[in-house]
Amino acid sequence: MSRATFATLAILISINAAADVVHFKNGDRLTGDRVAAGPGFVAINVQDLGVLEIPEARIARVQTTAEAGQPPEPTPAATSGISGLIDAWDVIADLAATTATGNTETSDLNFVASATRTGEHLDHVLGAAWHRGEVADVATSEQLLAKDQLDLNYDLRWKYKESWYAVASFEYFRDPIKDIDRRYTGGAGFGHTFWTSTRGTLSTDGGVSQVFEKLASVAEASTSESNPALRWSLSYQHWLAPERLELFHNNQVLHILASDRGTVWDSDTGLRLHVNGRWQAGVRLDLQHETTPAAGRGRTDLAYAVSLGVKL
């Protein structure tokens, strides 16, 4: 073999040994050969996995083959300070406010936020929802609080065996209108991701929980209860138009194992239009149903919202 042929072969081997590297905002990396992808996505051919399409919103940068031999530059997720902390999370916040005037003045404020951090083995999922509504009689100036709900939740998911995961869940809920001064729920269970792709995801999990409640009685005295419960949740997200129009549905069922507490169902369903990489608008239906509400209270609460959101 001539020197020229040997040098050419060495160059080809060196080039083939190099690879493109996708650096995620959460610090993870994926190595392979970058290929053509649709708008808003980066596609990379990974050995033994095939071609994977990744939304650009999750990517910090792509290190090309030519750069592969160079020391990697620090990614935004690896930088210190507030900006590095925010880049590690996918944060979405929606705000909806309505006002009506006439014989009565009505004001409603609806705030929903979610934050997700995805890692190789651990996922962190945070959620917050606040609903407040007031009604005032113009003639008497009497003010009535019609809705005052606060719901905070956190899930820690440990992934194993590809689509399976263990989950620890925590939730704080209050609704004085329904005589629930406060409700703390903590539990653990297992879940399964049935479907995940560039077009969306579907996952569900269930387990056991312990529910601590402080309830207001008719006599305006408070009672405290602690009961075991069974919990089941489902999360569904689908891109009707890639990176543009998103359909989502989330629900949780909490069956409290006490004869007088029954089952609580919470869900939110809606459409979110991503105007650009930061701003979005949406419509959402929030449902809360209790099979055994407090005396004199309705079983079902429905809230309709047209919201404006921001992605951090």
Side-chain angles (χ1 to χ4, degrees):
M1 182 182 295
S2 67
R3 287 187 177 182
T5 304
F6 181 81
T8 302
L9 180 60
I11 292 174
L12 289 174
I13 293 174
S14 175
I15 290 177
N16 289 333
D20 299 320
V21 182
V22 175
H23 294 262
F24 292 84
K25 289 182 178 180
N26 64 4
D28 292 339
R29 291 184 298 176
L30 195 62
T31 302
D33 297 315
R34 186 172 181 178
V35 296
F41 290 91
V42 169
I44 185 165
N45 189 1
V46 181
Q47 185 177 3
D48 298 329
L49 293 179
V51 177
L52 304 176
E53 286 193 346
I54 307 151
E56 290 180 346
R58 296 185 178 273
I59 298 174
R61 73 185 186 93
V62 178
Q63 183 181 359
T64 64
T65 301
E67 302 170 332
Q70 304 296 325
E73 299 177 4
T75 64
T79 60
S80 60
I82 296 177
S83 61
L85 179 63
I86 292 177
D87 285 342
W89 292 80
D90 287 331
V91 182
I92 297 178
D94 292 334
L95 179 65
T98 60
T99 301
T101 60
N103 292 319
T104 60
E105 292 185 353
T106 303
S107 61
D108 290 284
L109 185 63
N110 187 316
F111 173 77
V112 177
S114 65
T116 304
R117 181 171 183 172
T118 303
E120 183 178 357
H121 298 295
L122 289 177
D123 289 349
H124 303 267
V125 182
L126 292 167
W130 181 50
H131 304 271
R132 185 178 179 88
E134 295 182 350
V135 178
D137 190 296
V138 176
T140 62
S141 299
E142 182 181 357
Q143 195 83 10
L144 175 64
L145 187 61
K147 177 170 285 190
D148 185 16
Q149 285 185 359
L150 176 64
D151 192 356
L152 306 174
N153 56 77
Y154 168 67
D155 284 356
L156 175 63
R157 299 175 181 176
W158 176 61
K159 296 177 287 188
Y160 67 100
K161 293 184 179 179
E162 297 183 355
S163 58
W164 290 93
Y165 59 89
V167 59
S169 60
F170 307 91
E171 183 178 14
Y172 169 79
F173 177 81
R174 66 179 296 272
D175 186 351
I177 305 299
K178 285 190 171 183
D179 297 333
I180 302 173
D181 287 345
R182 63 184 69 96
R183 176 194 290 150
Y184 301 96
T185 304
F190 295 92
H192 182 66
T193 300
F194 290 96
W195 167 61
T196 182
S197 72
T198 56
R199 298 304 299 268
T201 183
L202 171 64
S203 62
T204 183
D205 60 72
V208 294
S209 298
Q210 189 70 19
V211 181
F212 304 90
E213 294 180 295
K214 185 176 181 182
L215 308 172
S217 67
V218 178
E220 298 184 358
S222 296
T223 60
S224 297
E225 294 185 8
S226 177
N227 296 295
L230 300 177
R231 186 188 64 86
W232 172 72
S233 69
L234 180 141
S235 178
Y236 172 72
Q237 180 259 347
H238 182 67
W239 289 104
L240 300 179
E243 294 295 302
R244 182 63 64 182
L245 185 61
E246 175 189 5
L247 169 68
F248 62 89
H249 172 76
N250 303 286
N251 72 254
Q252 175 180 274
V253 178
L254 187 68
H255 179 63
I256 304 175
L257 299 176
S259 58
D260 60 342
R261 295 301 297 129
T263 303
V264 179
W265 174 293
D266 283 302
S267 72
D268 60 272
T269 307
L271 287 170
R272 187 179 287 121
L273 174 64
H274 294 251
V275 180
N276 52 40
R278 182 168 297 274
W279 295 99
Q280 57 240 326
V283 292
R284 191 178 68 252
L285 169 65
D286 297 327
L287 166 69
Q288 185 186 66
H289 178 78
E290 295 191 23
T291 58
T292 313
R297 308 301 182 187
R299 292 187 177 186
T300 305
D301 272 347
L302 285 173
Y304 305 90
V306 178
S307 61
L308 178 65
V310 60
K311 183 175 182 179
L312 303 178

